[in-house]
């Protein structure tokens, strides 16, 4: 039921403000007021009014029907199912109520119960609706053969049949065929935001991000015009707006789906700030009203700044129904990333069936190997090596496919590069996990060897072909351009004596590629290591120039976002200062450390203090042993620094933890 909204929320057509009960409605106007509210989609107000009527007339057909309808449109499907069940009991001959009951159960994720109810519908007028609903139920239960058989019984020329066929093709990973079906369905039915989202999703899976973004923009632009009641970008613009409830109307606009897809695309391109802003553009809802996908994505985009909150959200989703299938994989991988291996093992044990169902076999093997690396690193490396061997074999096969595609057409080139890029993305975590085992042992030469064994996969001999270049450009950021491999190679060079110039060769291109936004796009440790490598290579002026650019970037960001924590210049100066202290240049080194805390109230935290105090203690220890002569002014500076730290650090916790106690 879609009718336009024409008046302010909370007012009837005649201007009466409702206070949550039928006793305030003028005599003789009850029906007109209720339907006026329905017309403006004020479902919560209608429910409040009808609840009083149901207390007096508990079997009122109209009140039960409208209450169920309102709960359904508010996406409170469990409650809607209970009201439709009462209607079915009171009016067993009305198959329309049985269908609505089954639909509510299906939307609530109660698939077995929905299947039981839907087969009780006998009216031939609902035969197509029954078939479509049965197909949807089997689709959600991952029963592909039965879903396909049910869709084949539906009217072949109906737009819904084409869309259902497309959904099935999408589930099977046949994205190009699914895209064609979705487009055909839209041509028959006209523009549908939900179908447009499905088209965008197909482009996303095919890595045609520009095409996906165009469809997302169409969805958003249409919703802004047709549904001004959903204040898009309101929070991002700092506007004071009321929260909007979940509703079927909001779902049909596909705004939530579109902004989540946009966020996912930005997240995959490593634009975490953009992904976060995309989610902030959603119509504002209370946290308890957030859908599972939005909650999941909020956890991921805020993991860098709120790891504890992110883990809490993911654990909550894991215990919820429905739960996005990506949840368990992301939670396990994040636990492994933060080295919470015991927690990852607990999740694997407690949710064994879900892990088996949702995780691809190779991801399951990877997580198993990663979990045991702390207790049995040799066994972990052996398992990872077996997994890596299979990846390497597949990558070499796909390189040959791509080479053969060059002699064909552009579509074949694009398809082969997409397959290769997907395989390379899956291989990278395995390679880095192998390297991490030896990194933790400080066997840096072995890490270098492991990384260089994969150099063939990052430099393809067909990349100079113009059609290959164009295909890669259209794909956007790819694993071939991944900075992960290059960064880790730079790190391992940095850790080895006399290889700092090699480290510079790998650090410099990454830093130059993000020269316009160093603080936002480049990790502080990368900039710090680069500056130290410059210093150790007698390029002090170049290091100073990098530090000045960092400080300039931070000053601009601090002006635009005064509350944003900025630690890049602090960390770089701390690392450089530590280097000079380690080499016995205490006067200059301590000066750098003290400079890194300007201003003290913004730079002091548990992490920065941990490294600063080590330098200060080293200076004091050296002086106590009479191993060096420290100028008096340096001691005055140290005392002033410690007094400032005492003043501003009195309330700062020194325990660093991502997880609640």
């Amino acid at each position: 039921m879609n009718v336009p909204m024409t008046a302010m929320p909370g007012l009837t057509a005649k201007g009466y403000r409702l206070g949550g009960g039928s006793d305030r409605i003028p005599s003789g106007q009850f029906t007109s007021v209720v339907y006026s509210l329905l017309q403006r989609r004020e479902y919560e107000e209608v429910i409040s009014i009808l609840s009083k009527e149901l207390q007096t007339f508990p079997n009122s057909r109209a009140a039960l029907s409208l209450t169920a309808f309102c709960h359904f449109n508010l996406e409170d499907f469990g409650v809607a199912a209970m009201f439709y069940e009462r209607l079915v009991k009171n009016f067993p001959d009305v198959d329309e109520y049985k269908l609505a009951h089954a639909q509510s159960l299906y939307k609530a994720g109660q698939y077995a119960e929905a299947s039981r109810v839907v087969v009780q519908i006998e009216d031939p007028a609902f035969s197509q609706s029954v078939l479509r609903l049965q197909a949807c139920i089997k689709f959600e239960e991952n029963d592909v053969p039965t879903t396909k058989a049910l869709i084949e019984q539906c009217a072949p020329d109906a737009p819904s049949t084409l869309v259902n066929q497309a959904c099935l093709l999408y589930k099977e990973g046949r994205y190009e065929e699914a895209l064609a079906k979705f487009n055909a369905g839209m041509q028959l039915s006209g523009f549908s935001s939900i179908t447009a989202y499905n088209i965008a999703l197909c482009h996303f899976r095919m890595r045609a991000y520009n095409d996906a973004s165009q469809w997302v923009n169409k969805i958003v632009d249409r919703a802004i015009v047709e549904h001004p009641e959903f204040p898009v970008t309101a929070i991002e613009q700092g506007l004071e707006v009321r929260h909007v409830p979940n509703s079927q109307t909001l779902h049909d606009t596909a705004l939530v789906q579109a902004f989540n897809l946009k966020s996912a695309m930005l997240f995959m391109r490593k634009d975490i700030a953009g992904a976060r802003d995309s989610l902030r553009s959603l119509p504002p809802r209370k946290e308890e009203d957030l859908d599972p996908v939005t909650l999941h994505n909020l956890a991921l985009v805020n993991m860098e700044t709120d790891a504890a909150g992110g883990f809490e959200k993911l654990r909550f989703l894991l215990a919820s129904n429905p739960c996005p299938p990506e949840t368990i994989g992301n939670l396990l991988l994040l636990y492994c990333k933060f080295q919470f291996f015991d927690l990852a093992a607990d999740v694997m044990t407690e949710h064994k069936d879900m892990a088996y169902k949702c995780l691809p076999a190779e991801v399951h093997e990877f997580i198993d190997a990663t979990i045991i690396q702390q207790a049995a690193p040799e066994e972990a490396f052996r398992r990872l090596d077996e997994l890596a061997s299979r990846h390497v074999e597949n990558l070499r096969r796909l390189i040959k496919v791509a080479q053969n595609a060059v002699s064909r057409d552009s579509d074949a080139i694009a398809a082969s590069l997409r397959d290769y890029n997907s395989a390379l993305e899956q291989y990278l975590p395995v390679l880095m996990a192998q390297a991490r085992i030896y990194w933790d042992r400080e066997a840096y030469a072995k890490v270098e060897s492991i990384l260089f064994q994969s150099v063939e996969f990052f430099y393809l001999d067909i990349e100079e072909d113009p059609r290959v270049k164009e295909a890669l450009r259209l794909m956007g950021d790819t694993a071939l351009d991944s900075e992960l491999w290059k960064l880790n190679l730079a790190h391992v060079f940095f850790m080895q004596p006399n290889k700092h110039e090699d480290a510079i060769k790998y650090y410099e291109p990454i830093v130059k590629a993000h020269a316009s936004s160093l603080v936002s796009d480049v990790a502080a440790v990368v900039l710090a290591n680069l500056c130290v490598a410059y210093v150790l290579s007698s390029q002090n002026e170049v290091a100073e120039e990098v530090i000045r650019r960092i400080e300039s970037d931070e000053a601009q960001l601090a002006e635009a976002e005064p509350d944003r924590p900025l630690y890049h210049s602090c960390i770089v100066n701390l690392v450089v200062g530590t280097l000079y202290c380690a080499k016995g240049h205490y006067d200059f080194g301590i000066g750098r450390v003290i400079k890194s805390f300007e201003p003290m109230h913004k730079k002091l935290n548990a992490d920065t203090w941990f490294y600063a105090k080590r330098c200060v203690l080293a200076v004091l220890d050296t002086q106590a042993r009479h191993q060096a002569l420290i100028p008096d002014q340096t001691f005055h500076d140290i005392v002033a620094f410690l007094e400032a730290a005492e003043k501003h650090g009195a309330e700062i916790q020194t325990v660093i933890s991502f997880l609640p106690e």
Side-chain angles (χ1 to χ4, degrees):
M1 183 176 184
N2 291 314
V3 288
M5 296 183 70
T6 56
M8 292 293 292
L11 296 177
T12 68
K14 294 183 178 295
Y16 295 106
R17 177 163 292 279
L18 302 176
S22 58
D23 53 325
R24 299 195 182 189
I25 300 176
S27 177
Q29 296 186 22
F30 184 87
T31 301
S32 65
V33 166
V34 168
Y35 277 92
S36 293
L37 290 169
L38 285 173
Q39 195 173 34
R40 295 197 307 280
R41 304 185 182 93
E42 295 186 38
Y43 302 118
E44 290 175 329
E45 194 72 53
V46 174
I47 290 170
S48 178
I49 294 170
L50 294 177
S51 65
K52 296 284 185 70
E53 293 300 304
L54 286 171
Q55 291 176 13
T56 308
F57 306 103
N59 294 321
S60 168
R61 179 175 181 176
L64 287 171
S65 177
L66 290 176
T67 300
F69 173 81
C70 289
H71 280 292
F72 188 93
N73 279 276
L74 287 172
E75 297 193 335
D76 192 356
F77 301 116
V79 177
M82 289 191 294
F83 278 99
Y84 279 122
E85 185 177 18
R86 289 172 62 181
L87 283 163
V88 170
K89 289 180 179 178
N90 291 339
F91 307 97
D93 296 331
V94 182
D95 279 355
E96 185 175 0
Y97 293 146
K98 295 177 184 177
L99 180 61
H101 184 208
Q103 288 173 331
S104 299
L105 291 167
Y106 159 71
K107 290 281 190 178
Q110 301 178 42
Y111 303 127
E113 188 64 15
S115 296
R116 184 189 65 79
V117 172
V118 75
V119 296
Q120 300 174 15
I121 300 172
E122 300 176 352
D123 191 337
F126 296 112
S127 61
Q128 287 295 307
S129 297
V130 168
L131 284 172
R132 287 195 294 270
L133 181 55
Q134 287 177 315
C136 289
I137 293 168
K138 294 301 178 183
F139 180 85
E140 293 298 334
E141 291 178 335
N142 293 313
D143 186 349
V144 174
T146 305
T147 304
K148 190 176 294 185
L150 289 165
I151 292 174
E152 289 174 354
Q153 297 177 49
C154 295
D157 55 348
S160 60
T161 302
L162 290 172
V163 170
N164 286 340
Q165 289 172 341
C167 290
L168 196 57
L169 290 167
Y170 179 90
K171 196 180 194 74
E172 294 174 338
R174 297 157 63 182
Y175 303 122
E176 291 186 16
E177 296 173 68
L179 179 61
K181 289 284 187 181
F182 280 128
N183 280 318
M186 185 175 285
Q187 288 177 359
L188 287 176
S189 64
F191 186 88
S192 159
S193 294
I194 296 296
T195 305
Y197 166 72
N198 289 331
I199 291 172
L201 199 57
C202 288
H203 284 299
F204 170 74
R205 294 298 184 189
M206 295 162 60
R207 298 188 178 278
Y209 296 132
N210 290 335
D211 292 331
S213 296
Q214 289 177 11
W215 281 99
V216 166
N217 292 336
K218 287 180 183 179
I219 293 168
V220 174
D221 291 343
R222 192 179 186 93
I224 289 173
V225 173
E226 296 185 354
H227 295 280
E229 70 271 23
F230 299 133
V232 175
T233 73
I235 293 179
E236 188 179 3
Q237 295 173 8
L239 302 177
E240 290 292 334
V241 293
R242 68 181 181 85
H243 291 100
V244 299
N246 287 322
S247 65
Q248 190 65 33
T249 305
L250 178 60
H251 176 270
D252 291 342
T253 64
L255 275 173
V256 174
Q257 301 93 312
F259 277 119
N260 272 289
L261 179 57
K262 181 180 179 181
S263 179
M265 287 189 284
L266 293 168
F267 185 83
M268 290 185 67
R269 294 175 178 176
K270 313 302 181 189
D271 184 0
I272 307 302
R276 192 181 299 117
D277 288 342
S278 178
L279 294 178
R280 285 172 58 84
S281 298
L282 282 164
R285 292 174 292 170
K286 297 177 182 177
E287 187 170 22
E288 58 265 29
D289 290 336
L290 294 178
D291 59 283
V293 173
T294 300
L295 197 64
H296 170 274
N297 290 344
L298 281 171
L300 294 189
V301 300
N302 292 307
M303 188 60 69
E304 290 182 2
T305 56
D306 184 18
F311 283 126
E312 183 180 1
K313 288 181 176 68
L314 293 174
R315 287 196 299 267
F316 169 79
L317 286 171
L318 207 57
S320 304
N321 184 26
C323 170
E326 298 85 359
T327 303
I328 188 167
N330 284 327
L331 179 59
L332 288 166
L333 291 171
L334 285 166
Y335 274 152
C336 292
K337 175 182 177 180
F338 287 103
Q339 299 190 330
F340 298 136
F341 299 117
D342 291 342
L343 293 175
D346 290 343
V347 170
M348 289 286 277
T349 302
E350 294 169 10
H351 302 275
K352 187 180 297 183
D353 292 341
M354 183 184 293
Y356 179 79
K357 176 182 176 182
C358 298
L359 297 178
E362 290 185 344
V363 175
H364 203 296
E365 290 179 45
F366 171 75
I367 292 173
D368 276 339
T370 305
I371 288 173
I372 68 168
Q373 74 177 44
Q374 191 175 32
E378 290 82 5
E379 175 62 16
F381 188 86
R382 186 191 65 77
R383 293 189 187 185
L384 289 169
D385 199 44
E386 289 181 357
L387 189 56
S389 297
R390 297 202 297 271
H391 279 292
V392 166
E393 183 181 348
N394 186 45
L395 284 168
R396 288 174 177 160
R397 179 185 65 80
L398 291 172
I399 288 175
K400 292 180 181 178
V401 171
Q403 290 169 338
N404 293 333
V406 172
S407 62
R408 296 162 59 194
D409 54 38
S410 298
D411 290 341
I413 292 172
S416 66
L417 288 174
R418 283 197 298 268
D419 291 342
Y420 179 79
N421 185 66
S422 178
L424 187 56
E425 284 182 341
Q426 294 172 34
Y427 171 58
L428 270 172
V430 179
L431 175 66
M432 296 309 160
Q434 285 182 290
R436 178 62 182 266
I437 291 173
Y438 283 97
W439 176 276
D440 291 341
R441 295 180 174 185
E442 299 184 4
Y444 301 121
K446 180 65 175 178
V447 176
E448 180 184 339
S449 173
I450 290 171
L451 293 177
F452 261 117
Q453 287 174 6
S454 301
V455 68
E456 63 181 292
F457 303 125
F458 296 94
Y459 300 98
L460 301 182
D461 57 5
I462 61 172
E463 286 187 64
E464 295 305 314
D465 187 288
R467 293 174 300 167
V468 173
K469 286 184 176 180
E470 178 62 15
L472 290 172
R473 185 190 68 79
L474 292 174
M475 287 171 63
D477 294 334
T478 65
L480 282 167
D481 302 320
S482 173
E483 294 176 351
L484 179 64
W485 181 79
K486 298 171 187 175
L487 268 180
N488 282 314
L489 198 55
H491 290 331
V492 79
F493 280 136
F494 178 81
M495 296 302 295
Q496 297 180 77
N498 305 319
K499 290 195 175 183
H500 296 104
E501 291 186 0
D502 292 321
I504 291 172
K505 290 178 184 177
Y506 283 91
Y507 280 136
E508 265 189 347
I510 295 169
V511 172
K512 288 180 178 178
H514 301 283
S516 60
S517 54
L518 284 180
V519 173
S520 298
D521 295 342
V522 183
V525 67
V526 173
L527 296 169
N529 286 357
L530 177 59
C531 289
V532 169
Y534 280 139
V535 171
L536 293 173
S537 303
S538 301
Q539 301 181 58
N540 297 50
E541 292 183 2
V542 183
E544 289 287 350
E545 176 59 28
V546 172
I547 293 173
R548 283 194 292 270
R549 284 162 53 195
I550 295 169
E551 291 172 347
S552 175
D553 273 12
E554 283 195 352
Q556 293 178 14
L557 288 170
E559 185 176 348
E561 304 175 60
D563 297 329
R564 178 176 173 177
L566 299 168
Y567 293 106
H568 275 59
S569 64
C570 176
I571 292 169
V572 171
N573 279 308
L574 263 176
V575 172
V576 172
T578 302
L579 170 67
Y580 276 96
C581 288
K583 289 185 171 293
H585 302 296
Y586 295 109
D587 187 18
F588 184 82
I590 283 295
R592 277 288 178 184
V593 170
I594 293 174
K595 176 181 171 62
S596 71
F597 282 84
E598 296 175 357
M600 177 69 75
H601 68 283
K602 288 189 175 182
K603 305 298 185 182
L604 181 63
N605 63 27
D607 288 305
T608 56
W609 172 246
F610 175 80
Y611 292 101
K613 70 182 180 182
R614 296 174 68 183
C615 292
V616 173
L617 290 171
V619 172
L620 298 177
D621 181 67
T622 301
Q623 181 65 21
R625 295 171 184 270
H626 301 288
Q627 294 175 341
L629 184 63
I630 311 298
D632 290 344
Q633 184 57 48
T634 299
F635 274 108
H636 292 314
D637 292 341
I638 291 175
V639 171
F641 170 71
L642 293 175
E643 288 176 346
E646 182 181 23
K647 175 183 175 182
H648 294 285
E651 303 299 326
I652 295 177
Q653 294 288 331
T654 57
V655 177
I656 305 170
S657 175
F658 292 115
L659 298 176
E661 295 293 335

